[in-house]
Amino acid sequence: MKKAKKSAFLLLASVMSLSALLAACSGGNNAEEPAKTPAAETPTAEQPAVDKPKEKVELEFWTHWGSTTRRPIIEKIVSDFNGSQDWITVKHVFLPYGEGWTKALAQIAAGNPPDVIIHEIAKVAQRADKNQVENLSPFLAKDDISGRFHENLFEAMKYNGDVYALPFNTDTRFLFYNKKMFAEAGLDPEKPPKTWAELEEYAKKLDKIGADGKIERLGYHPLLAGGFELFMLNAGKGEAWVGVDGKVNVNTPEHVDALKWVMSWDERLGKENVETFKATFGSKTSEPLIAGKLAMKADVGTFWTQIRDFAANRDDFGVAPLPEYKEGAGHWSVGGGFSIEIPKGAKNPEASWEFLKFMTDYDAQKYWAQFNFDNVANKEVAGDADLMADPIYAFSVENLAVTKMTPAPVSAPDFATLLNPEIEAAIQGQQSPEDALAKAQKAIEDLVAQHQ
C-alpha cells in the first residue's frame, strides 16, 4: 500500500492543477436529524469588518446536507457562528440535493433569494454569467482572504476576473483495494497495480467465475467501480472535455483508446453476466467492495468512512493512486466539490460575507474535515497535524496533487447532455467508439460556436 506522508502537504500548493468533475459528490441528502452532535472545540470568528446594524440580522443558509452524519456537523458550525458575535443569526435550511438549487433560481427571479447557499463548484462561472450570484470582489478588496485557499480552487471561483464564490470543500478519487484478497490470489498486498495493464492483469487473477459461468467475484470492472469518465480523463492527463478557452477535447486518440478499453471488460466477461452480477450490489455491509464482491474500486476519499463503519476489518483494505493509462502518463484523477455563495439580490450581503469568512476559516474547516473525513478548501487546514495523523486522510491530501477539476465552461453549458448519450450508445454496442466521440466532438463544437 502506498504510504501517505505528512510531508506530502508541503508539495501540494505548488503542483495542484485546475480541472474538473462533476460532480459529485461530497454531500448526502438524507433528511434525518439525530439528536446528538459530535463534540469539538467551538470555532471562533473574526470580528466583522463592516458597520453593525442596530438590530440583529437573520440569514437563511441553504444546503443539501441533511444526512445523519452531515446535518449535525453543519448545524454545529452554524451554532458556533451564531454564538461568536451578537448581530447575525444564521438559520440552516436543508433541501435535498438539486432541489434547493432549483428553488433558489426561482426565488432569485422573484427577488427573494436565500442569503447564503452551498452550490456545486463546477458551475460558478455559469451562475456568474447568468447574474445569479453576487460579485465578491468588492468584499475581497477590503478583506482579502484569498490566500487561505488552494490556488486551483480559488481560480475556479472567478468569472471575467472577478470572484463570485468561495470554495468550501473538494474531493479526489483513488483506488481502494482488499489486501487480504490480494494475498490469497498470490499478489503482494503492498504493491497495488500501477498501470491499466497491471490493473487488468491483477483483476483476472482476482476474478471468481462459477462452473456455470456466473460471476461470483470480480477483481475490477471500470464501469462498476469508477466510471468511463474517470478513466477517459485519466488517459487524457486530466484535461477537461471543454477548456475554458472553448477548445473541445473529446475526440482524441487517448479518449478513443480509453473508451475501447472500458468496453473490453464487458466483452471479456459478457455484458449480461456483468449486469446480473451488478444487480446483487447493495449498500453499507452489502456495498460490493466491503461485501467482498469486488477486490478493487475507484472512489472519492470519503468512501473510507464506509469501510471504517461497515467492513468487518478495515485493516484488510489499502489505498493507492489511480493506475496510469501507460507507464509515465501520470496517475491523474478528477475532483469536484462545493462552493459557498451569496445569491444575487440577497438582502444583507455584508452579513452574509461575514458568515462566508467564518465558514472558510481554520476552525470551521477543520471541524468539517475532521468529522466528515472530507477534503476542505482551506489549504492550511489540509495540513493540520491532527488530520494528517490519519494515514488514509493524509493520502487523500497527497492525491490532490494529481487531481484536476473541470469547471463547466460558459461557452458550453450542459455539454454533457451531448457527450454522455453518445458514449452510452457505444457502450451498449449501438455504435463504435470512434463514431461516438466524433459525433460528440462535432455537437459540442457547434454548441460552443453558438455561445461565442
Side-chain angles (χ1 to χ4, degrees):
M1 178 180 76
K2 182 174 177 67
K3 299 291 185 180
K5 299 181 181 297
K6 295 182 181 179
S7 61
F9 170 72
L10 300 177
L11 301 176
L12 183 59
S14 63
V15 292
M16 285 184 64
S17 311
L18 175 60
S19 142
L21 190 283
L22 306 230
C25 99
S26 296
N29 59 5
N30 186 331
E32 290 185 68
E33 180 180 1
K36 190 172 182 180
T37 303
E41 294 183 5
T42 300
T44 58
E46 302 172 19
Q47 291 300 315
V50 298
D51 294 330
K52 298 180 183 180
K54 294 180 180 180
E55 297 182 3
K56 291 194 78 172
V57 172
E58 183 170 308
L59 305 179
E60 276 198 0
F61 171 42
W62 290 12
T63 84
H64 56 274
W65 292 320
S67 71
T68 55
T69 299
R70 292 181 181 254
R71 186 166 187 163
I73 295 169
I74 197 67
E75 292 188 347
K76 173 66 163 62
I77 297 173
V78 168
S79 175
D80 290 337
F81 172 76
N82 289 340
S84 71
Q85 41 70 52
D86 61 5
W87 68 288
I88 305 169
T89 299
V90 175
K91 177 185 177 183
H92 174 237
V93 177
F94 161 70
L95 291 166
Y97 188 88
E99 181 179 315
W101 302 340
T102 302
K103 185 176 181 180
L105 289 179
Q107 294 200 195
I108 290 169
N112 186 35
D115 299 283
V116 180
I117 191 168
I118 293 290
H119 221 306
E120 57 180 331
I121 207 167
K123 294 186 177 181
V124 172
Q126 289 193 14
R127 292 189 291 277
D129 181 62
K130 295 177 181 178
N131 202 31
Q132 296 168 353
V133 286
E134 292 287 347
N135 188 340
L136 301 183
S137 291
F139 295 104
L140 287 162
K142 298 178 182 178
D143 195 4
D144 187 4
I145 58 171
S146 60
R148 68 175 53 163
F149 304 108
H150 293 306
E151 287 79 359
N152 71 323
L153 295 179
F154 191 71
E155 284 299 313
M157 304 297 98
K158 295 180 180 180
Y159 174 65
N160 286 345
D162 284 328
V163 178
Y164 287 86
L166 296 182
F168 183 76
N169 66 338
T170 187
D171 57 37
T172 181
R173 287 150 181 77
F174 46 85
L175 192 70
F176 295 84
Y177 67 99
N178 189 308
K179 296 192 290 184
K180 185 177 180 180
M181 288 183 184
F182 270 45
E184 292 172 351
L187 299 168
D188 188 336
E190 302 305 323
K191 293 183 178 180
K194 295 180 180 179
T195 65
W196 289 14
E198 284 189 357
L199 177 61
E200 192 165 2
E201 176 189 343
Y202 282 32
K204 290 176 181 178
K205 292 181 179 180
L206 290 158
D207 287 347
K208 283 188 176 181
I209 311 297
D212 57 0
K214 293 183 179 180
I215 299 170
E216 298 174 2
R217 182 180 80 192
L218 285 181
Y220 190 72
H221 193 304
L223 292 176
L224 300 183
F228 66 79
E229 183 175 34
L230 180 62
F231 285 94
M232 292 177 75
L233 293 177
N234 173 277
K237 297 185 177 180
E239 294 302 318
W241 295 115
V242 185
V244 293
D245 59 356
K247 181 183 178 183
V248 182
N249 306 305
V250 171
N251 190 19
T252 68
E254 293 79 11
H255 289 158
V256 171
D257 194 29
L259 183 53
K260 288 181 177 179
W261 180 80
V262 167
M263 293 168 59
S264 72
W265 293 71
D266 273 356
E267 293 166 3
R268 175 171 66 84
L269 295 162
K271 190 170 186 61
E272 186 175 340
N273 286 340
V274 172
E275 290 299 321
T276 299
F277 180 63
K278 180 182 177 181
T280 67
F281 291 1
S283 60
K284 296 184 178 180
T285 56
S286 298
E287 192 283 328
L289 185 72
I290 293 170
K293 293 183 177 182
L294 290 174
M296 295 178 281
K297 177 180 182 178
D299 211 328
V300 293
T302 52
F303 177 70
W304 180 256
T305 61
Q306 295 187 49
I307 293 175
R308 179 196 67 196
D309 295 343
F310 302 115
N313 183 2
R314 65 182 180 181
D315 292 334
D316 287 342
F317 298 88
V319 294
L322 287 178
E324 299 177 288
Y325 167 54
K326 294 178 180 178
E327 187 174 358
H331 299 276
W332 297 106
S333 183
V334 292
F338 296 99
S339 56
I340 186 167
E341 305 171 3
I342 304 176
K344 190 68 176 179
K347 298 298 188 296
N348 297 286
E350 294 84 3
S352 296
W353 171 247
E354 292 301 315
F355 184 57
L356 263 63
K357 288 195 301 178
F358 183 93
M359 292 294 290
T360 58
D361 209 350
Y362 197 99
D363 292 329
Q365 289 270 288
K366 179 179 177 180
Y367 190 78
W368 180 265
Q370 188 171 9
F371 288 100
N372 280 312
F373 206 82
D374 205 0
N375 295 114
V376 289
N378 188 307
K379 62 185 180 182
E380 187 179 1
V381 172
D384 181 90
D386 294 335
L387 299 174
M388 295 294 280
D390 186 310
I392 306 299
Y393 189 86
F395 176 81
S396 75
V397 172
E398 179 180 355
N399 206 64
L400 290 173
V402 292
T403 301
K404 291 192 175 185
M405 294 180 58
T406 56
V410 172
S411 60
D414 302 320
F415 73 90
T417 61
L418 303 175
L419 173 65
N420 292 344
E422 299 295 348
I423 293 178
E424 290 292 351
I427 290 172
Q428 296 301 322
Q430 298 168 4
Q431 61 182 340
S432 69
E434 292 89 346
D435 287 346
L437 298 186
K439 289 163 66 176
Q441 175 87 18
K442 176 64 167 59
I444 297 171
E445 286 177 343
D446 290 345
L447 178 65
V448 170
Q450 293 171 19
H451 288 82
Q452 288 182 337

